[in-house]
């Protein structure tokens, strides 16, 4: 709920308030706060030996935390509401739908390119975010959730949850460090965002390949792969949204109609599309394989999808708008003045 519903209006609000050169770094700031929240969440998991048996308590705490954060937002955030022109003709009931269609049709090609990359990236991210704990408990440690208390399988399951939680904390720390590093790189160098995004995706693809083919039952190696798998998520929550915000800010300054929230919602929809694709494929694989054998296959799928996504990110058109050089502008003005003088002399 926090990612798919709350994130879009928050990002759009920040995009409206930030300056043109602050768009991408401010979107990276979201990842910084996400890293803090993830660290807290993985720490909470260590409270219970089998967290899935205490879902009510965990979800209640999450809902209360979200409520507090939203209340703080209402007290702090200030927006200038749009005022409808009283002389404007009354819109039809289909106007909202038509506005969405028109906004999508008029969106730049970069948005569709980002959407395709986002979908592929989140096929891989879903494999880790949703099935990472199952991989630790069932594949790496070979534990069983419903085994009798005190049995070796139950103990192995508990060790798997503990390793997953520890890996999640390391993952959150890397997420925070990587987000801060991206901010520094984008603010202090001329490196284009796509050249930051693509390496993040390739690191995640390598981690997925290693998890599927090399980890086996090595718990420390599994934690390392799980930690590195956060890099595509860092990039996907920073670079695409920052590029969309930058494009719309420039279009707004040129007097064009923009739909920042709608375009960011489209990128979020691609996140859910990737999640659904990964979940559906895992369900199909489980029809012929056990969960322990199916999970490594999902990581191979994740690695392949993110390898393709990394190639797509390298070809993003993120070049800044061309600006005429002052010398060229002066030369053109001089040529025009000379032509005008010649024409006047000929007329005389």
């Amino acid at each position: 709920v926090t990612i798919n519903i709350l994130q879009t209006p928050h990002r759009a609000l920040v995009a409206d308030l930030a300056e043109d050169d602050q768009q991408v770094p401010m979107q990276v700031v979201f990842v910084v706060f996400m890293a803090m929240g993830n660290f807290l969440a993985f720490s909470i998991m260590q409270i219970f030996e089998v967290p899935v048996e205490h879902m009510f308590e965990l979800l209640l705490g999450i809902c209360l935390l979200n409520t507090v954060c939203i209340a703080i937002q209402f007290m702090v955030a200030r927006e200038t509401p749009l005022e409808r022109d009283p002389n404007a003709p009354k819109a039809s009931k289909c106007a909202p739908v038509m506005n969405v269609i028109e906004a999508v049709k008029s969106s730049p090609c970069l948005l569709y390119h980002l959407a395709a990359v986002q979908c592929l990236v989140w096929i891989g991210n879903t494999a880790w975010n949703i099935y990472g704990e199952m991989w630790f408990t069932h594949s790496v440690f070979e534990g069983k959730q419903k085994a009798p208390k005190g049995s070796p399988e139950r103990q192995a399951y508990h060790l798997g949850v503990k390793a997953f939680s520890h890996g999640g904390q390391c993952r959150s720390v890397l997420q925070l460090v990587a987000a801060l590093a991206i901010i520094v790189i984008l603010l202090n160098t001329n490196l284009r965002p796509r050249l930051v995004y693509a390496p993040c995706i390739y690191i995640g693809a390598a981690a997925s390949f290693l998890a599927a083919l090399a980890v086996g039952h090595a718990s420390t190696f599994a934690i390392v792969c799980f930690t590195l798998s956060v890099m595509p998520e860092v990039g996907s929550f920073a670079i695409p949204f920052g590029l969309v915000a930058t494009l719309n800010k420039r279009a707004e300054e040129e007097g064009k109609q923009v739909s920042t929230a709608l375009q960011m919602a489209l990128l979020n929809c691609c996140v859910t599309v990737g999640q659904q694709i990964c979940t559906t494929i895992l369900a199909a694989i489980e029809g012929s394989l056990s969960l322990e054998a199916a999970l490594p296959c999902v990581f191979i799928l994740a690695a392949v999808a993110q390898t393709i996504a990394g190639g797509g990110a390298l070809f993003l058109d993120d070049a800044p708008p061309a600006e005429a050089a002052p010398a060229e502008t002066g030369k053109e003005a001089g040529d025009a003045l000379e032509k005008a003088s010649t024409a006047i002399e000929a007329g005389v």
Side-chain angles (χ1 to χ4, degrees):
V1 173
T2 303
I3 292 177
N4 295 330
I5 296 179
L6 300 182
Q7 185 174 191
T8 297
H10 289 172
R11 287 185 179 276
L13 175 62
V14 170
D16 288 341
L17 298 177
E19 298 296 332
D20 188 23
D21 58 346
Q22 297 175 333
Q23 293 296 336
V24 176
M26 286 307 301
Q27 295 299 325
V28 182
V29 170
F30 274 90
V31 185
V32 173
F33 286 100
M34 289 171 63
M36 298 177 184
N38 286 339
F39 187 88
L40 176 62
F42 283 110
S43 300
I44 291 174
M45 289 185 61
Q46 298 182 3
I47 298 175
F48 304 107
E49 180 177 339
V50 182
V52 294
E53 295 179 354
H54 301 272
M55 292 305 295
F56 177 77
E57 297 95 319
L58 293 173
L59 289 177
L60 180 60
I62 292 171
C63 290
L64 292 175
L65 179 61
N66 282 344
T67 303
V68 171
C69 292
I70 294 172
I72 294 173
Q73 174 205 327
F74 281 135
M75 290 187 293
V76 175
R78 294 291 182 269
E79 291 184 274
T80 303
L82 296 176
E83 295 184 2
R84 181 180 177 84
D85 185 358
N87 299 322
K90 186 177 180 181
S92 67
K93 294 182 179 179
C94 298
V97 176
M98 298 306 298
N99 290 339
V100 170
I101 296 174
E102 186 62 31
V104 172
K105 286 172 56 180
S106 60
S107 297
C109 294
L110 176 60
L111 178 66
Y112 298 104
H113 193 160
L114 286 170
V117 173
Q118 195 84 331
C119 181
L120 290 169
V121 166
W122 273 89
I123 292 176
N125 290 346
T126 302
W128 288 101
N129 292 348
I130 297 183
Y131 305 111
E133 184 179 7
M134 294 182 186
W135 178 63
F136 270 93
T137 56
H138 291 76
S139 297
V140 178
F141 284 86
E142 297 183 301
K144 292 184 179 180
Q145 174 189 344
K146 297 183 179 181
K149 290 185 178 181
S151 64
E153 292 84 0
R154 177 87 170 193
Q155 183 64 21
Y157 183 88
H158 172 61
L159 293 175
V161 172
K162 188 175 181 180
F164 173 72
S165 179
H166 179 61
Q169 290 175 324
C170 297
R171 200 171 187 254
S172 302
V173 172
L174 177 60
Q175 187 179 25
L176 176 61
V177 172
L180 294 175
I182 290 175
I183 292 177
V184 172
I185 291 172
L186 294 177
L187 289 179
N188 297 287
T189 70
N190 294 324
L191 198 65
R192 302 310 308 156
R194 62 187 170 87
L195 299 179
V196 178
Y197 191 17
C200 292
I201 300 174
Y202 283 133
I203 291 173
S208 296
F209 271 124
L210 291 173
L213 304 175
V215 168
H217 303 297
S219 59
T220 302
F221 193 9
I223 291 174
V224 172
C225 291
F226 183 48
T227 301
L228 293 176
S229 70
V230 79
M231 292 303 295
E233 183 175 322
V234 173
S236 69
F237 276 140
I239 304 300
F241 292 97
L243 290 176
V244 168
T246 302
L247 285 175
N248 285 335
K249 196 72 174 181
R250 290 171 183 163
E252 183 180 359
E253 292 172 354
E254 295 171 2
K256 299 179 181 177
Q257 185 177 0
V258 297
S259 301
T260 304
L262 178 63
Q263 293 178 3
M264 290 186 174
L266 177 61
L267 291 181
N268 257 346
C269 287
C270 294
V271 170
T272 61
V273 169
Q275 291 170 343
Q276 292 300 322
I277 292 174
C278 183
T279 303
T280 303
I281 292 178
L282 176 61
I285 294 174
E286 281 191 88
S288 55
L289 296 174
S290 65
L291 178 63
E292 293 80 358
L295 288 172
C297 297
V298 172
F299 287 124
I300 292 177
L301 169 68
V304 172
Q306 291 186 338
T307 300
I308 298 172
L314 283 175
F315 292 96
L316 287 170
D317 182 15
D318 61 351
E323 295 181 1
E328 294 179 357
T329 304
K331 183 177 182 299
E332 292 175 358
D335 292 343
L337 181 60
E338 184 178 350
K339 290 180 181 179
S341 300
T342 304
I344 292 172
E345 291 175 359
V348 173

